[in-house]
Amino acid sequence: SFCLLYCYNALYSPWILDSLAHLLSDAVGSNVYLFGSYPGEIKLTEGVMRGSGAFIVFLAALVCDTRAGSESCQARLFSQSSVVCECNATYCDSVGQVSLPPVGGFLTFLSSEAGSRLHKEQGQVQKNSTGRGSSGGEGRLEEKVALEEKVVLEEKVALEEKVALEEKVVLEEKVALEEKVALEEKVVLEKVVLEEKVALEEKVVLEQKDVWRRSSGGEGSSGGEGRLEEKVVLEEKVALEQKDVWRRSSGGEGSSGGEGSSRAEGRLEEKVALEEKVALEEKVVLEEKVALEEKVVLEEKVALEEKVVLEEKVALEEKVVLEEKDVWRRSTGSSPSPHLFCFSTSCPPPGPPASSESPVRITLVPEQKYQHIKGFGGAMTDSAAINILSLSSGAQDQLLRQYFSPEGIEYNVVRVPMASCDFSTRLYTYADSPGDYELRNFSLAEEDTRMKIPLLQRVQALSARPLSLFASAWSSPSWLKTNDALIGKGSLKGKPGGKEYKTWAQYYIRFLEEYEKYNISFWGLTTGNEPTAGEMTNYSFQALGFTPEEQRDWIAMDLGPALHSSKYAKSRLMILDDQRLLLPHWAKVVLSDVHAARYVHGIGVHWYYDGFSPAKFTLGTTHELYPEYFLLATEACAGWRNFDRGVRLGSWKRAEDYAHDIMEDLNNYVTGWTDWNLALDLGGGPNWVKNFVDSTIIVDPSKDVFYKQPTFYSMAHFSKFLWEGSQRVGVTITKHSSLESSAFISPDGSAVLIVLNRSDKEVPFEVWDQTVGFLPSSAPPHSILTLLWKRS
């Protein structure tokens, strides 16, 4: 390896620099070259450094070794970016063919921002109570864990019973208190009635006294006799009422005669005593009620504290169990979980992170079955072909092997533009002769016959899997369009069923016929790249506008019948081939018409505005409405936004964006994912309209090298391990975390789990499969993992 150093000091002479180079070479054990020594300033990626002293700046091209698959990857670090793997005609790292270990083992492939590129590790599946059993130390550990779990459960049940009993006692005391309060209220009511009676008696006594005074005051005899008789009657009546009141109030016999006044005074004293008694009893009842409420509050507080103590105990037990499991794994020689690749000599040893938290548990649910996988790949554009062919034959072979051979990442899907697109060096179609409705002058271009077709033939020879090619057209010949141009806003002249629409349908058939002459057949076709682009005024490159209604009618009246009556009737026809935010509306318009729907097999989507169109409401809803039509991601690339344009060598952020979008698509019924250009140059081209973007492989023909970007390895985690025919299955996750995951069952019955961690923290997790046990692992920060294991 070597390092480039930029030095600045106007006073340094060449012999001093030469001596410094020798010293550094001896120190690092390899050749060191010093250049760029000059006065003034040194431009850095992040700014400008000025000064008068001596500076040695390690910059831009630090080359070092890292591991990638079965061989070393010559990893080059560009500025502050993640590494890229450099390949040339004689050397390139290789993933190699993957052979799964027998049941009981699993493989993990890790790519991370820290530099790992498909770093492979082997682990041991741990047995559990639902697995195949175990022996020795593992069995004893499981017995201990089971016993501890049983003890915790029994303590939990005992505590629940205690709480239930206390709640019962509190309820009974509450009922008794309510009954007592009701009785006291009854006593108070009777007291009120008694007070009313006493008041009535006092009133009668006063009236009696008044009558007596008037009767003894010397009035006439006849009048006096009458009043005397009234007095006697009244006294007898009062006496009777007093006796009755006395009996009812005290249970005794009343007295008669002149004792009325003394009895009234006695009853007044009794009234006062009764009021004091009632007040005292009310005070006692209130104090008892307050005491009971305080008791209830205290008991609830005690119960809560006991609950907290129990939860802490359970958490401690779980921590102990996890630590013992970890000790067991390390003592039995199982491979440590994947760890960060580190360039420093002071890296911590590999192994699971020390954490007090229980790991996330991801459980495979194979009974929940979803879509089958078609595959993954990229596009053989004119620009991709130009860049691949700019390398030496040895480097070309290396590049194609990286994509398509069993030693590489095994792409099995290739998109082929029909004629030119923006990633061409010129504008052309296959039928540029005006008025040629019979397509007599239809012919492939040199870009096809001398570049794309030879490369596709080499790809077919390298691939161990069947390749699925699909074609997309950007524009019809200009003379068929309303604007007479390949670019800008324009659609087909006339109406569906007319000669322009029928000629455009026959153009597809002729394309398939011409490629077949070179033994290249196409699995599928799309109805045209981004039909909405052709509806935009002043659109900058090739486009052909369609509304969903026009596309529906063209399929029903022209394209569908043309394909059906040809020998290409089995080619899969995909509608849309545009942004997913147009779903489900576009699908509803086309597929609700039976005449068009009978010719359609699937729906193609692009990724460019996925952030504005939630997958659940676009892809998910479309699948629910039309489950018989497959969904396929037909185009994606990084570096397309104006604020983040072009190539960024080593950008891990773009790799994460790829992985996130792929997993989001797969978890919403998409069957595959197609990248854009297979290869571009350092400037992100060539592109005739200067619409420069990034690519998974970047070519530098001046050095006869190519760089495998982090996005290349992001694609690898899917294309290498999700074979055609794999089926997505369900997973359950025990708690929320930063992990994203998607699980599959391969055609051979093995399981594949892909995990993405876009956070800044390492996340330990376990994968549970009821047929084999659990797989301990950990996701480093900013990493992608693929786990594979046999289930039987």
Side-chain angles (χ1 to χ4, degrees), residues 212-276:
W212 178 258
R213 281 194 299 271
R214 285 187 283 114
S215 64
S216 60
E219 301 200 12
S221 59
S222 60
E225 291 176 356
R227 284 191 295 272
L228 181 62
E229 290 174 356
E230 291 174 1
K231 174 184 176 183
V232 172
V233 172
L234 182 59
E235 287 179 342
E236 290 176 352
K237 180 180 179 182
V238 168
L240 289 173
E241 289 177 350
Q242 287 176 343
K243 287 181 180 181
D244 183 63
V245 169
W246 177 257
R247 278 195 299 269
R248 282 187 283 118
S249 62
S250 60
E253 294 291 334
S255 59
S256 60
E259 297 177 353
S261 176
S262 61
R263 283 201 302 270
E265 293 176 354
R267 284 194 294 273
L268 184 60
E269 292 175 353
E270 289 175 355
K271 175 185 175 183
V272 173
L274 181 61
E275 288 177 346
E276 291 176 348

